[in-house]
Amino acid sequence: MPETWDYTLHIPNDLRAVTVCRRTLRLILTLHGLIGLVDIAELLAAELVSNAVRHTKGPAALRVRRTPEGAVWIGAWDTDPAPPDPPRALEEVAESEDGRGLGLVRACADLWGWQPAARFGDRGKYVWCQLVAA
């Protein structure tokens, strides 16, 4: 049975927080012996966190956990309770500067989704994805 753990990094509404989240995630996965997931996990976390920071006005959070089944779950919480726009096919947005985020998440993660959530007394949502550790 794999070791389970759960980390949450609370971040301000600042695009620089995306880099902090990526580096923190890299450290967490490396220390837990999951170096093979680092590159894809960093990409997915960056997409989720940048959406949380760009499209809302309040604080945000990155949550990373290892499930009892061995999957790595990555989620970004933000203060906007509205569901995210549906992901667009990557072919539709290949040359676009934006609009690829959830399409990349859908294409690269084993599972993804969103759910309403509350933290710090604020309503909001978690947009999450899951990677199966080999």
Side-chain angles (χ1 to χ4, degrees), residues 5 7 9 18-32 34-35 37-46 49 62-65 72-75 129 131:
W5 37 262
Y7 296 90
L9 177 62
V18 176
T19 301
V20 172
C21 288
R22 285 179 70 136
R23 290 182 180 165
T24 301
L25 177 64
R26 175 175 284 276
L27 182 62
I28 291 167
L29 293 177
T30 300
L31 291 175
H32 284 286
L34 297 169
I35 192 73
L37 293 180
V38 167
D39 291 336
I40 191 71
E42 272 190 311
L43 171 68
L44 298 176
V49 171
L62 171 70
R63 182 176 180 198
V64 182
R65 67 184 176 99
V72 174
W73 187 89
I74 303 165
C129 63
L131 298 171

Side-chain angles (χ1 to χ4, degrees), residues 88-131:
R88 294 169 52 197
L90 293 180
E91 301 80 33
E92 292 177 22
V93 292
E95 302 299 320
S96 177
E97 287 291 316
D98 56 9
R100 290 185 299 246
L102 284 181
L104 279 171
V105 171
R106 181 178 67 183
C108 297
D110 295 304
L111 291 172
W112 82 275
W114 79 277
Q115 62 198 49
R119 291 189 77 101
F120 323 116
D122 291 321
R123 289 182 37 203
K125 69 178 167 300
Y126 263 113
V127 181
W128 57 270
C129 63
Q130 182 174 296
L131 298 171

Side-chain angles (χ1 to χ4, degrees), residues 48 51-53 56 59-61 76-82 117 123-127:
L48 296 176
N51 282 347
V53 181
T56 66
W77 172 82
D78 65 51
T79 57
D80 183 358
R123 289 182 37 203
K125 69 178 167 300
Y126 263 113
V127 181

